[in-house]
Amino acid sequence: MNTDSGILRSALAGEPLDDVLVIDVHVHWGRWLTMNLPAAEDGIVRKMRRAGVSKACVNGILNPDVAEGNDQVASAAKRYPDEIIGFAALNPYQPRPMIDELRRCVEELGMRGLKVHQMVSAPAYSPFPIDPLDAAWTQVWEYLDARNMPVLWHGVVEEAVIARFSGIPFVMAHGLSSPATFRALARYPNFHIETASTQNTRWYMAEAVDVLGVDRVLWGTDAPLDDFAHRWGVILDSDLSEDEQRMALGGNAARLLAL
Amino acid sequence: MAIHPLRFFDVNCGIGPYYNPPPGHDPSVSALLRGMDELGIAESAVYHFQAQQYDYRVGNETLLRETAEHDRLHPALMVGPGHTGEAHSPDEVAALMRSGGARILKMFFGVQPFVPGPDPFLMAPLLDRVAERRPLLILDHADIHGVRFDWIVDILEGWPGVKVILVLPKLEYHERYFYALWERFDGFFLELAGDQTMGTLEAIVARFGPERVVYGSRYPYFTPLQTMLQVIYSEIDDEAKRKIAGGNVRSLMEDVIL
């Protein structure tokens, strides 16, 4: 642990990290199943301000009506323009072509990336297997590739997609806790990981930095399924220098998002 | 380093060798104490991995030996049904509590089907023997989704002196059970390690007060820092934070009769 880190000191003192650009790349908007989410939606923004989280990349993937979920995210981004960055959600099972919904999200709603989730790809949930290189998905990737827009993926994306669409920064959700995967995909410069759900932080972070370099590690929380301050532990209980902590907490995300 | 004003008491720390440590992990007491100092953790309740993963007796004896000289470390004896002799008998547990100053008992289960959980039918002899001493009983289920809440209800009903602490809960999955338990029992507590839904700690404190939750880290599997920061940044008052950080556990420990 870098006990000289001023960020760590501020955090232990309970101060908002207002002098650090903190970007959470993995935040959900809306409800989920029957889960009790006391700080969902506007509560997320309240918590961001309390902790000093500068910006959050928010998606509406939890809503099975993806267009409605995307509209909810766009509404949040409109109400909190300095804090909420919209990420589109897509679902291949819905009648509207994915590319049309993606265009709407980017060109009309101002979204800056895409979130894909295994709820549309896992066999337990899906009536047919997803082929991430079929015509519909290929349209999606080509659109994003041309704009260098990031994809936060938890399911759907496979190695062949990362290899073929090198202009897309792919960010593997929960990737820090999957060292076998990040070792296997490290050779693709557009492959990145984020930190949500990782618990045994020192070793995982050291391994990730060794394999990928710190510039491909991004901070994510899966909020509101987890707490911002709780998930700072993954960055601050590591041997990263303070500059490296700043990169992981937000600098790297800012680069991918062209902020 | 200058730290927070809270005197954290970590109820969930393991020492000694275990099956799957990350490279470079130091399983010693000195490493634990060093880590506590780095973060400003005042005290910890400690179990020994050999008692959890190898042999109750070897692990507990090693635990008591290795923690004896450290006032900041409080031994958590691993216990189980003593019928066949692998686990200590009820009389042996009572004797170890007194001789080792052990106010905390712990059960780890669920990792394999043959590792017994806190089935009240099996645990009755031990609970009958120690309940009047009002020990803390930490329940650590390897698969939290397999927790038998009916067993917890039976323990709380049958042996009301025992304070049950469930570690590594998934609040977002089992919160309804916890609320239902708190509506009926004063002796049930949650430890906070692991991912917790945003705002849930505040919701619990608002509904039931700050006395039902205790800080724990699941060291060395998890970093102690993450849950510390969750408490430090929580939207509750300073007195509630003080209780959750360590005040609640200290009060429960003071209530134990050795």
Side-chain angles (χ1 to χ4, degrees):
Chain A
M1 179 186 296
N2 176 8
T3 53
D4 294 329
S5 165
I7 303 173
L8 175 63
R9 290 173 183 274
S10 294
L12 285 171
E15 301 165 352
L17 300 188
D18 291 335
D19 66 336
V20 184
L21 176 61
V22 180
I23 301 176
D24 187 340
V25 298
H26 188 169
V27 175
H28 296 282
W29 201 265
R31 317 303 301 180
W32 195 38
L33 302 175
T34 59
M35 198 174 282
N36 179 26
L37 298 173
E41 300 173 333
D42 293 330
I44 292 172
V45 179
R46 190 189 72 245
K47 281 281 195 175
M48 288 173 66
R49 292 171 180 171
R50 165 70 185 94
V53 175
S54 315
K55 298 178 185 296
C57 298
V58 171
N59 68 78
I61 197 76
L62 301 179
N63 190 334
D65 182 337
V66 291
E68 182 181 83
N70 287 330
D71 286 340
Q72 291 167 341
V73 168
S75 174
K78 191 172 181 180
R79 279 184 285 133
Y80 306 109
D82 296 331
E83 289 152 309
I84 299 295
I85 298 171
F87 267 43
L90 299 175
N91 184 336
Y93 300 108
Q94 302 225 343
R96 182 182 176 88
M98 289 194 293
I99 187 63
D100 291 350
E101 179 64 9
L102 179 60
R103 283 198 182 102
R104 186 180 79 89
C105 288
V106 173
E107 296 167 21
E108 297 177 24
L109 303 181
M111 295 191 180
R112 308 288 294 266
L114 172 68
K115 169 70 190 288
V116 289
H117 195 274
Q118 63 177 349
M119 289 185 79
V120 300
S121 66
Y125 305 131
S126 307
F128 54 80
I130 290 285
D131 175 1
L133 285 172
D134 68 12
W137 283 107
T138 297
Q139 284 181 308
V140 167
W141 309 134
E142 286 174 343
Y143 182 90
L144 297 167
D145 189 71
R147 291 160 180 77
N148 303 122
M149 297 185 83
V151 173
L152 178 65
W153 56 285
H154 182 174
V156 179
V157 172
E158 297 174 358
E159 180 175 357
V161 180
I162 299 169
R164 181 168 159 187
F165 297 98
S166 59
I168 301 175
F170 285 97
V171 182
M172 182 185 180
H174 314 284
L176 183 61
S177 53
S178 300
T181 303
F182 70 63
R183 286 188 198 113
L185 299 178
R187 63 180 177 275
Y188 303 106
N190 58 327
F191 171 77
H192 305 71
I193 59 173
E194 62 93 352
T195 59
S197 306
T198 308
Q199 309 285 359
N200 197 335
T201 61
R202 289 189 194 185
W203 179 79
Y204 280 115
M205 184 61 75
E207 183 72 0
V209 170
D210 184 51
V211 171
L212 299 171
V214 71
D215 58 329
R216 289 201 274 165
V217 178
L218 286 75
W219 182 67
T221 66
D222 214 0
L225 304 182
D226 207 334
D227 180 84
F228 296 126
H230 184 257
R231 300 310 307 160
W232 277 337
V234 73
I235 304 294
L236 300 180
D237 190 4
S238 71
D239 293 326
L240 297 180
S241 68
E242 186 168 328
D243 285 344
E244 291 172 327
Q245 290 175 354
R246 288 177 185 271
M247 291 172 67
L249 282 170
N252 295 334
R255 185 184 72 248
L256 297 193
L257 292 161
L259 296 178
Chain B
M1 63 193 291
I3 313 199
H4 44 77
L6 302 173
R7 291 184 62 235
F8 277 93
F9 187 126
D10 186 341
V11 299
N12 192 8
C13 290
I15 58 170
Y18 64 106
Y19 287 133
N20 50 353
H25 171 65
D26 182 345
S28 69
V29 164
S30 58
L32 169 62
L33 289 166
R34 201 162 51 244
M36 291 166 60
D37 289 340
E38 281 182 344
L39 292 172
I41 296 173
E43 299 168 83
S44 291
V46 185
Y47 63 92
H48 199 284
F49 277 110
Q50 284 188 305
Q52 175 174 294
Q53 301 185 345
Y54 179 60
D55 183 272
Y56 291 99
R57 294 170 188 278
V58 170
N60 284 335
E61 289 164 10
T62 307
L63 172 73
L64 293 174
R65 189 171 61 249
E66 293 190 355
T67 58
E69 298 177 1
H70 304 283
D71 293 340
R72 299 167 63 194
L73 303 182
H74 304 274
L77 295 174
M78 201 67 66
V79 299
H83 305 74
T84 51
E86 295 80 19
H88 301 284
S89 70
D91 285 342
E92 289 173 322
V93 171
L96 281 176
M97 287 179 66
R98 180 172 291 119
S99 65
R103 293 171 164 80
I104 305 171
L105 309 178
K106 180 171 181 181
M107 293 190 71
F108 175 76
F109 50 99
V111 64
Q112 292 285 356
F114 54 80
V115 177
D119 182 341
F121 175 69
L122 287 175
M123 294 303 294
L126 175 62
L127 296 173
D128 284 343
R129 181 69 176 82
V130 302
E132 288 187 356
R133 298 183 179 209
R134 310 179 64 77
L136 286 65
L137 176 61
I138 293 178
L139 302 182
D140 185 350
H141 199 303
D143 174 12
I144 196 68
H145 303 299
V147 168
R148 291 279 303 271
F149 286 98
D150 55 333
W151 286 355
I152 294 176
V153 169
D154 288 346
I155 291 172
L156 293 168
E157 279 185 338
W159 296 274
V162 176
K163 303 111 170 176
V164 173
I165 300 176
L166 183 66
V167 300
L168 200 61
K170 291 292 282 184
L171 286 180
E172 64 266 44
Y173 297 160
H174 298 125
E175 203 171 3
R176 293 169 180 84
Y177 285 101
F178 305 145
Y179 277 44
L181 286 166
W182 285 323
E183 286 167 357
R184 286 183 57 188
F185 301 105
D186 293 329
F188 178 70
F189 305 87
L190 286 183
E191 174 250 24
L192 284 173
D195 294 343
Q196 308 301 354
T197 316
M198 183 178 284
T200 297
L201 178 58
E202 290 88 340
I204 291 171
V205 171
R207 175 96 172 254
F208 297 100
E211 291 82 15
R212 310 302 188 104
V213 181
V214 301
Y215 167 73
S217 72
R218 207 184 181 222
Y219 171 92
Y221 290 112
F222 296 177
T223 166
L225 180 60
Q226 55 188 9
T227 305
M228 291 180 71
L229 294 179
Q230 182 179 8
V231 175
I232 289 170
Y233 277 87
S234 60
E235 297 172 301
I236 57 179
D237 64 44
D238 289 344
E239 178 61 12
K241 291 180 185 178
R242 189 194 65 74
K243 288 183 174 181
I244 293 167
N248 291 339
V249 171
R250 292 187 182 94
S251 295
L252 296 175
M253 300 263 294
E254 288 171 2
D255 189 49
V256 179
I257 302 163
L258 289 177

